[in-house]
Amino acid sequence: MRGSSCGRPFKRLTCNQMVSRQDLDGEEIDRVFHALADATRRDIVRRTLVAEQSVTQLAAAYAMSFAAVSKHVAVLTEARLVTKRAEGRARLVAADPSALAEAQALLRSYEALWRGRIDRLHAILREDAGVPASTPPSDPTAN
C-alpha cells in the first residue's frame, strides 16, 4: 500500500463525504504543492513549458547560484513536474504538462466539493429567510 487515508489506499477514496478522483497519492500531492509554493520553481515550470532549457540557461535568469537553481530543479523533478535528461554535458529540463493537469484536476474536485457545500448553505439560508427554493441566489459579483 502506497499510503492511506481513513485506513484505505489513496488511489480512490471517500472520506468525510469528500469524493475525489486521485491519481496522486497523499505524499505526491504534498510534493507537488510544496514545489509549486515557491515563486522561482513556478517560474522554472512556466519557462520549461514553453521550451526545454538547460539548467545553465535557467540559472542565468536568477540572482542565485547555479547550485541553488539545481536544487530547485531537483525539487521539481522529485514532484514529477519537470523531467531532466542528459544531452552531452548539459542537463536539459522540460515541464511535464500531465503532472500539472493532475494537480489541476485535484483542485477542480475540491472546487466542486466546496461549491456544492456553499450552494447547500445558500439554500438553507434562503429557506430560513422565507425565499422560495426555486428562486436562484443573486450573484454577489454582478453589478
Side-chain angles (χ1 to χ4, degrees):
M1 181 166 39
R2 292 170 56 184
S4 66
S5 176
C6 301
R8 290 181 281 228
F10 272 109
K11 284 300 172 186
R12 289 186 87 86
L13 71 99
T14 303
C15 183
N16 295 332
Q17 302 301 311
M18 183 177 86
V19 178
S20 173
R21 182 186 144 271
Q22 293 185 2
D23 293 327
L24 302 170
D25 71 24
E27 289 177 12
E28 290 169 325
I29 291 167
D30 291 345
R31 278 193 296 273
V32 166
F33 287 107
H34 168 74
L36 293 173
D38 182 85
T40 300
R41 291 192 289 263
R42 287 191 306 273
D43 190 58
I44 291 169
V45 169
R46 181 192 57 78
R47 291 175 60 199
T48 58
L49 276 168
V50 173
E52 186 177 57
Q53 295 189 30
S54 70
V55 177
T56 302
Q57 289 171 314
L58 291 169
Y62 304 108
M64 63 181 74
S65 69
F66 177 88
V69 173
S70 283
K71 287 181 183 180
H72 282 300
V73 170
V75 170
L76 291 166
T77 302
E78 185 178 321
R80 298 189 336 204
L81 291 166
V82 300
T83 58
K84 191 165 66 168
R85 67 179 181 86
E87 186 172 289
R89 293 182 56 183
R91 299 297 176 256
L92 299 176
V93 180
D96 182 357
S98 66
L100 291 171
E102 287 178 347
Q104 185 178 33
L106 178 65
L107 290 174
R108 283 193 175 132
S109 72
Y110 286 129
E111 179 185 18
L113 168 76
W114 282 104
R115 283 190 186 276
R117 288 179 177 180
I118 289 169
D119 289 347
R120 286 191 300 278
L121 178 60
H122 280 159
I124 291 168
L125 293 173
R126 284 193 313 268
E127 184 180 307
D128 285 351
V131 177
S134 62
T135 305
S138 60
D139 184 357
T141 60
N143 290 353

